[in-house]
Amino acid sequence: MLKKHIATPSRTKEILNQYTFSFKKSLGQNFLVDVNILENIIKHAGIDKSTGVIEVGPGIGALTEQLAIHADKVVAFEIDQRLLPILQDTLQDYDNVEIIHQDILESDVREVMSAHFDPKQPIHLVANLPYYITTPILMKLLREKLPVSTLTVMIQKEVADRMAAKPNTKSYGSLTVAVQYYTHAEVIMNVPKSVFMPQPNVDSSVLKLTIRDESPVHVEDEAYFFNLVQACFGQRRKTLRNNLIRYFKETHDKETITELLDTVNIDGSRRGESLNIEEFASLANAFYDG
Ligand code: SAM
């Protein structure tokens, strides 16, 4: 008899009962139970039989199974030891899946990738991320500049909106600038709570991040740039000049700050949220002195 896909409510319940598995809220375990959503994600991610895929948090294998069907190879990082025997069972029909029992935040992902993928193969990351650590996971993967082409991830709607935001909107902040420095970010779709088991408390969206070949701006020092951007959003209702005065209080007097703002033609009475990434870069480069 043909087995049902893992990503259905009945098969998921069956697997959970068989293994008396109880969800760990602390690990962000909300499993997907809708094959259509998964196929849609995979289509948008640009997965085909030539591609390798990294997955974070396979759970009982709902997304992993669909990835195994559509991709050449899947390497999935799972932290919860209890899921390993389950995955061995649920994914036994697929010989192109490798489960790595590691915390993604601690893992040397580059090393794992070079051990499991053909270096010439295009690699994509696809995941229904554990919501409690969405931002640390994405920022780690972006900062490490891994050889992946895209990251297509299910995350909280609010965080997806922040990552894909435009200047002068409520969602625009230092996270937007950091993510858009490395990628082109777009929200692919909003997803109803009903496709998860158990249902999460927050709304979800699928976000696609396409890695840029080159960052859109030149910055003298990335860490310095990101810190300065964060400082410009420090107190959102304050002007840019006041946030900078606060940030540079040990090193720069007010006059120097005004002069530097003038050199790059940025009006200090603006708010940080009105600056685009090019303006943040010229500001950071003007203040940076090696
Ligand atoms: N992919 C499955 C699905 O869509 O049904 C499960 C997604 S669930 C939202 C998140 C998964 O990430 C869980 O399986 C959880 O155990 C795992 N996880 C949580 N923290 C992790 C970490 N630091 N490293 C690797 N996996 C993690």
Side-chain angles (χ1 to χ4, degrees):
M1 200 180 71
L2 206 63
K3 270 199 221 156
K4 263 192 285 178
H5 288 296
I6 300 168
T8 59
S10 58
R11 178 90 198 281
T12 298
K13 273 188 206 141
E14 200 179 287
I15 295 166
L16 298 177
N17 286 340
Q18 184 186 344
Y19 288 93
T20 54
F21 182 84
S22 53
F23 294 104
K24 263 200 193 144
K25 221 176 158 184
S26 62
L27 289 179
Q29 292 178 337
N30 300 93
F31 297 165
L32 280 164
V33 291
D34 187 318
V35 175
N36 291 331
I37 293 276
L38 292 175
E39 283 183 339
N40 221 340
I41 295 173
I42 288 169
K43 197 179 86 207
H44 277 106
I47 304 301
D48 62 34
K49 275 292 166 193
S50 72
T51 48
V53 180
I54 302 171
E55 187 191 359
V56 179
I60 59 170
L63 172 58
T64 326
E65 177 180 46
Q66 299 306 317
L67 291 168
I69 292 169
H70 291 91
D72 174 48
K73 181 155 194 193
V74 186
V75 173
F77 292 83
E78 176 55 62
I79 198 173
D80 188 348
Q81 180 145 28
R82 301 172 307 152
L83 289 166
L84 304 185
I86 305 183
L87 285 163
Q88 207 163 44
D89 175 16
T90 59
L91 298 174
Q92 60 179 301
D93 295 342
Y94 306 95
D95 60 5
N96 57 345
V97 177
E98 201 75 53
I99 304 293
I100 313 285
H101 180 217
Q102 280 179 20
D103 176 344
I104 188 72
L105 292 177
E106 301 293 324
S107 173
D108 185 342
V109 182
R110 187 179 292 273
E111 169 84 36
V112 173
M113 285 176 72
S114 66
H116 290 94
F117 292 114
D118 173 348
K120 291 190 289 293
Q121 185 169 40
I123 313 285
H124 298 267
L125 183 137
V126 183
N128 169 20
L129 288 179
Y131 288 2
Y132 74 109
I133 43 168
T134 304
T135 304
I137 292 177
L138 288 176
M139 289 318 298
K140 169 192 154 95
L141 298 171
L142 295 180
R143 276 196 199 110
E144 288 180 356
K145 301 195 167 105
L146 300 169
V148 297
S149 318
T150 65
L151 300 88
T152 304
V153 287
M154 174 88 76
I155 60 176
Q156 306 93 301
K157 179 177 185 309
E158 185 232 321
V159 180
D161 288 344
R162 276 165 53 203
M163 292 183 172
K166 302 260 181 299
N168 282 316
T169 61
K170 207 172 95 223
S171 299
Y172 187 67
S174 54
L175 183 64
T176 317
V177 179
V179 167
Q180 294 184 17
Y181 177 77
Y182 296 111
T183 73
H184 169 71
E186 53 186 326
V187 175
I188 299 297
M189 59 181 145
N190 296 325
V191 177
K193 290 180 179 146
S194 57
V195 303
F196 298 94
M197 190 184 289
Q199 296 193 10
N201 297 322
V202 293
D203 291 323
S204 306
S205 299
V206 177
L207 178 79
K208 181 172 180 181
L209 302 175
T210 306
I211 302 287
R212 297 181 189 276
D213 291 336
E214 261 179 59
S215 57
V217 290
H218 165 74
V219 297
E220 297 294 338
D221 182 305
E222 284 183 8
Y224 186 90
F225 167 69
F226 291 131
N227 286 335
L228 184 123
V229 170
Q230 216 157 29
C232 293
F233 286 101
Q235 292 187 298
R236 285 186 79 104
R237 295 210 314 280
K238 283 202 168 173
T239 63
L240 186 61
R241 183 186 290 108
N242 283 344
N243 272 324
L244 289 171
I245 288 172
R246 199 180 141 94
Y247 181 60
F248 286 114
K249 64 179 181 299
E250 306 293 339
T251 52
H252 295 61
D253 57 32
K254 290 181 187 177
E255 289 68 37
T256 313
I257 288 175
T258 307
E259 268 169 36
L260 286 170
L261 277 163
D262 284 346
T263 0
V264 288
N265 266 326
I266 296 176
D267 179 351
S269 66
R270 287 168 62 183
R271 302 250 157 84
E273 68 200 34
S274 75
L275 270 65
N276 60 30
I277 192 165
E278 288 78 15
E279 290 175 312
F280 278 121
S282 48
L283 193 64
N285 291 341
F287 277 87
Y288 184 72
D289 58 9

